[in-house]
Amino acid sequence: MAKSIVSTKRLSSQFISWLLEENRPDKEGSYRRKEEAHRQHSWWQVMCLTGVDYFSTLGYQPGIAALAAGALSPIATLILVLLTLFGALPIYRRIAAESPHGEGSIAMLERLLPWWQGKLLVLCLLGFVATDFIITITLSAADATAHIIENPLIPNWFHNQTLAITLLLVALLGAVFLRGFREAIGIAVVLVGVYLLLNFVVVSFGVYQILTHPGAIANWHTALFARHSNPLILIGISLLIFPKLALGLSGFETGVTVMPLVKGSSNDTPEYSRGRIRNTRKLLTTAALIMSFFLLTTSFITTLLIPAAEFASGGKANGRALAYLAHLHLGNGFGTIYDLSTISILWFAGASAMAGLLNIVPRYLPRYGMAPNWARVTRPLVLVYTAIAFVVTIIFKANVEAQGGAYATGVLVLITSAAFAVTLSAHRHREKRAKFVFGIITLLFLYTTVVNIIERPEGIRIAGFFIGAIIFTSLVSRVWRSTELRTERIEVDELAGQFLDEESQGAIRLIANRLNKGDVLEYFLKEKEVREDNHIPANDPILFLEIQVSDASEFADIIKVRGVQVGDYRILRAESAAVPNAIAALLLYIRDHTGKIPHAYFGWVEGNPIQYLLRFILFGEGDIAVVTREVLRRAEKNPHKRPGVHVGG
């Protein structure tokens, strides 16, 4: 029995060690992940990496468009294409210029909206990012399953295994990332190249069929004007319908996120990569033009050549309209090749989404103190995301069309937030014309988002769940981690270093002071009070320590200490997100720098301790002495090496 318990514990320990083996200390600081060096590639190769997500939507977009808009699908798709080329594309071309290191629109909003309002907005947007990427995984897997089971060469009993096959594909995706997934641009280039070529063949043959069978156009014309003969009314109806086709807008945010992979020019600098920006704009423009061509042509041929009943749930074209045409007109051999290509790119689109999620969380939440330390590690996150994908797949029963609304919601909210960020940026730079144009585009995307949410509320429900979960866990984590040091590093200027060198000749005593007027009288009265309360000998030299709150919503920062002389009084001044954590970090720095244990002196505070706890969490202040002592206790386990904290009064 004892051996069994020991064996179980050993296996558990080995599993946890394997799960967290990537959790290595960061030499540059505890809280900011050092950017990994990425191998850079030509812009067209990186376009293929983003294209596994963007272009793969052709696997299901035409069918969903036909199901949503019917005969109006080509007109509604044309409106979508115009919004893509003259709305989303200009927005993301500007975002590329303002975030050349791949931060994207969320980081822009974070910079433009500081303090807690910015952080809360980012948390909400991360909920929509999670919706977008998780649904990309589940929707792509479901559509890949549709292409598998509808292939004529597949046995009929597969038709009843839709959910099981989809879950298997999701599990396989998770297993690949648990094993270790690395950048695979070469694979993406092959997949996208073959997929686009096959789609071009299908489109070309579809156009040929329409041109050689004029009856298809006549039938479409009859269906189009069956209810309304006025073209303006048809355009108006299409304007109301096109938000349902918003799946075709995915891919822009990913295109900006992968900017670090884009090769720039030889004269690029880390501060401003002009060549990388130029090439990323080529990437975005080329991808948008290619996708616009295929959106228009595939919408046209599928609407004219496929009976409406086949698009419905259970129909042979449901979730696989182009594959249906490939099998019908080009034979099962070509159709099977097309299915294999579609299945591959859809599965790889899920991999792209998983990689995006694994980059998003470590970029924001740990830096805010709103995620546990294991959130920096790949494998635990993979398990979490895979479990969520399982739940979403089961809820939607692996139905492609049912997940379209949730996917569109995530995509549209991200694009709308990007449009708002660009408009706000133009306003800050006093660009009146740009502000007006981008403001109009923002309103268009806002309208599209609202209509999509009203028509298909399941997307906002899923996003709301993710937002609620992220905010709740983030706040719990923030409270749980509030007594960490929260300091990346400490930088001391020349005068402050001189003060510390002078103090290191004897006992190092620091008096914590809240800066008011900063005159000689203030320091005289504070010194007198502290010496009397703590019985400090009159001849012992002291330093004043003043920490001012910069942005309390930040979790970790670089503390820059300045030396200041006011009369005969010497002061160390710094700014930080949290006063007690900064004091604790500075005391440990002084100990390590001078080799002596410093002593800090505080006064008691009056009031409700719960109130001070909330002030500390939200505003970085509160009961300074108590929290400083707790931060030091957690950071230094040996009490004999721990800086002293004295409270008088």
Side-chain angles (χ1 to χ4, degrees):
M1 182 68 179
K3 289 183 178 180
S4 176
I5 294 174
V6 171
S7 178
T8 302
K9 288 183 177 179
R10 184 182 297 113
L11 288 174
S12 176
S13 176
Q14 290 175 350
F15 174 74
I16 293 174
S17 177
W18 171 80
L19 202 63
L20 302 176
E21 69 178 359
E22 296 176 63
N23 194 13
R24 296 183 295 269
D26 186 353
K27 294 180 181 179
E28 297 296 319
S30 302
Y31 295 95
R32 192 180 299 274
R33 261 181 115 179
K34 190 177 181 179
E35 289 189 13
E36 297 179 1
H38 294 284
R39 182 184 173 190
Q40 296 182 333
H41 306 264
S42 298
W43 64 267
W44 61 269
Q45 293 176 308
V46 182
M47 182 191 73
C48 291
L49 184 64
T50 66
V52 295
D53 177 16
Y54 195 19
F55 300 142
S56 69
T57 57
L58 293 171
Y60 44 82
Q61 166 75 8
I64 291 178
L67 197 61
L72 288 171
S73 176
I75 300 175
T77 301
L78 176 61
I79 296 172
L80 179 69
V81 166
L82 293 175
L83 190 59
T84 297
L85 297 178
F86 300 102
L89 181 57
I91 285 169
Y92 280 94
R93 283 173 62 89
R94 174 149 181 161
I95 289 175
E98 297 200 20
S99 59
H101 301 293
E103 301 94 333
S105 59
I106 295 179
M108 280 182 63
L109 286 171
E110 181 189 21
R111 292 193 298 267
L112 293 169
L113 298 171
W115 292 82
W116 281 110
Q117 63 266 34
K119 301 296 184 296
L120 289 174
L121 178 61
V122 168
L123 292 179
C124 290
L125 290 177
L126 288 179
F128 288 103
V129 169
T131 303
D132 184 2
F133 286 155
I134 290 291
I135 298 297
T136 296
I137 294 170
T138 59
L139 180 59
S140 297
D143 196 50
T145 301
H147 283 78
I148 292 172
I149 64 176
E150 292 296 338
N151 187 285
L153 304 180
I154 296 297
N156 288 332
W157 64 269
F158 267 67
H159 288 249
N160 298 322
Q161 306 299 323
T162 301
L163 183 60
I165 295 173
T166 304
L167 291 175
L168 179 62
L169 290 175
V170 173
L172 181 61
L173 179 68
V176 169
F177 277 87
L178 286 174
R179 174 69 178 154
F181 184 84
R182 294 294 179 264
E183 178 188 312
I185 285 185
I187 298 174
V189 170
V190 173
L191 288 178
V192 169
V194 171
Y195 184 67
L196 291 181
L197 177 61
L198 293 174
N199 274 288
F200 185 76
V201 172
V202 174
V203 166
S204 299
F205 198 84
V207 172
Y208 171 78
Q209 287 290 313
I210 292 171
L211 293 177
T212 55
H213 297 82
I217 296 179
N219 293 335
W220 176 60
H221 183 273
T222 301
L224 193 62
F225 291 97
R227 293 186 178 181
H228 304 284
S229 59
N230 190 329
L232 293 178
I233 294 178
L234 293 178
I235 294 174
I237 295 173
S238 298
L239 285 170
L240 296 175
I241 292 175
F242 93 91
K244 297 179 180 179
L245 282 59
L247 296 176
L249 287 168
S250 66
F252 281 101
E253 190 76 26
T254 308
V256 174
T257 303
V258 298
M259 279 189 73
L261 300 178
V262 178
K263 185 184 296 182
S265 57
S266 57
N267 57 356
D268 281 356
T269 64
E271 292 76 23
Y272 191 73
S273 307
R274 188 181 300 275
R276 179 188 292 171
I277 292 170
R278 182 175 61 251
N279 288 335
T280 302
R281 286 176 165 176
K282 290 180 184 177
L283 181 159
L284 294 169
T285 303
T286 305
L289 290 173
I290 292 173
M291 191 62 176
S292 296
F293 166 78
F294 278 110
L295 283 174
L296 281 174
T297 53
T298 57
S299 173
F300 187 68
I301 65 171
T302 52
T303 302
L304 269 65
L305 297 178
I306 300 177
E310 297 294 351
F311 291 112
S313 181
K316 294 181 180 180
N318 182 255
R320 56 185 302 274
L322 294 176
Y324 174 87
L325 290 179
H327 282 277
L328 181 65
H329 295 292
L330 295 168
N332 289 334
F334 180 88
T336 299
I337 294 173
Y338 184 88
D339 281 338
L340 291 173
S341 175
T342 305
I343 292 165
S344 299
I345 197 170
L346 284 168
W347 186 85
F348 211 74
S352 174
M354 180 70 82
L357 282 170
L358 294 174
N359 286 326
I360 283 288
V361 168
R363 179 177 289 181
Y364 291 101
L365 296 185
R367 181 161 56 85
Y368 295 170
M370 292 181 169
N373 284 325
W374 59 257
R376 300 174 182 273
V377 189
T378 296
R379 284 170 179 158
L381 286 179
V382 169
L383 291 177
V384 171
Y385 296 146
T386 303
I388 294 173
F390 266 50
V391 172
V392 171
T393 298
I394 293 170
I395 289 174
F396 284 104
K397 300 178 181 178
N399 186 292
V400 175
E401 197 274 331
Q403 298 178 72
Y407 186 34
T409 298
V411 170
L412 285 171
V413 169
L414 289 180
I415 294 181
T416 303
S417 67
F420 175 69
V422 168
T423 304
L424 194 58
S425 174
H427 174 71
R428 293 282 178 90
H429 289 90
R430 298 182 180 179
E431 301 172 12
K432 292 184 179 180
R433 182 178 298 178
K435 181 176 73 172
F436 175 77
V437 172
F438 288 126
I440 295 296
I441 295 173
T442 302
L443 292 176
L444 286 173
F445 279 119
L446 183 62
Y447 156 76
T448 308
T449 305
V450 171
V451 170
N452 182 77
I453 290 173
I454 293 173
E455 292 285 336
R456 311 186 74 173
E458 65 271 14
I460 198 67
R461 293 191 191 115
I462 292 178
F465 169 78
F466 283 128
I467 291 169
I470 287 173
I471 290 179
F472 175 77
T473 55
S474 295
L475 293 178
V476 170
S477 175
R478 180 82 178 210
V479 173
W480 187 263
R481 300 182 60 195
S482 61
T483 53
E484 294 179 9
L485 279 178
R486 298 171 54 175
T487 302
E488 292 178 31
R489 65 178 183 271
I490 294 176
E491 298 176 357
V492 177
D493 72 4
E494 184 177 352
L495 185 55
Q498 179 183 326
F499 291 163
L500 292 176
D501 290 339
E502 292 171 356
E503 286 295 303
S504 64
Q505 304 305 314
I508 302 177
R509 305 182 189 276
L510 298 101
I511 297 177
N513 181 56
R514 181 193 293 270
L515 179 63
N516 291 309
K517 293 183 178 180
D519 56 11
V520 172
L521 179 60
E522 177 182 339
Y523 296 111
F524 170 78
L525 295 175
K526 185 68 175 181
E527 179 186 13
K528 182 175 182 295
E529 175 189 348
V530 171
R531 284 189 185 275
E532 290 176 354
D533 290 342
N534 295 277
H535 308 289
I536 300 175
N539 295 329
D540 282 10
I542 53 97
L543 283 175
F544 283 93
L545 177 58
E546 298 173 342
I547 307 292
Q548 294 177 290
V549 177
S550 51
D551 183 351
S553 65
E554 289 290 338
F555 187 73
D557 50 15
I558 298 171
I559 300 178
K560 298 181 179 181
V561 183
R562 297 180 295 112
V564 179
Q565 183 99 30
V566 178
D568 294 331
Y569 298 101
R570 299 167 301 163
I571 304 111
L572 301 178
R573 282 183 185 165
E575 291 185 352
S576 177
V579 174
N581 308 71
I583 292 175
L586 185 56
L587 291 173
L588 292 172
Y589 171 84
I590 293 172
R591 179 201 66 182
D592 297 337
H593 180 73
T594 63
K596 291 193 172 183
I597 304 295
H599 296 264
Y601 296 87
F602 303 86
W604 287 110
V605 295
E606 301 287 341
N608 190 321
I610 302 299
Q611 175 186 348
Y612 283 109
L613 175 63
L614 293 175
R615 282 183 58 82
F616 166 61
I617 294 171
L618 295 176
F619 306 113
E621 295 181 296
D623 196 344
I624 306 295
V626 173
V627 180
T628 300
R629 170 67 171 73
E630 179 59 20
V631 174
L632 286 170
R633 189 188 66 81
R634 290 190 59 182
E636 176 54 73
K637 302 300 181 184
N638 187 343
H640 300 293
K641 296 182 179 180
R642 195 180 298 153
V645 174
H646 307 270
V647 186

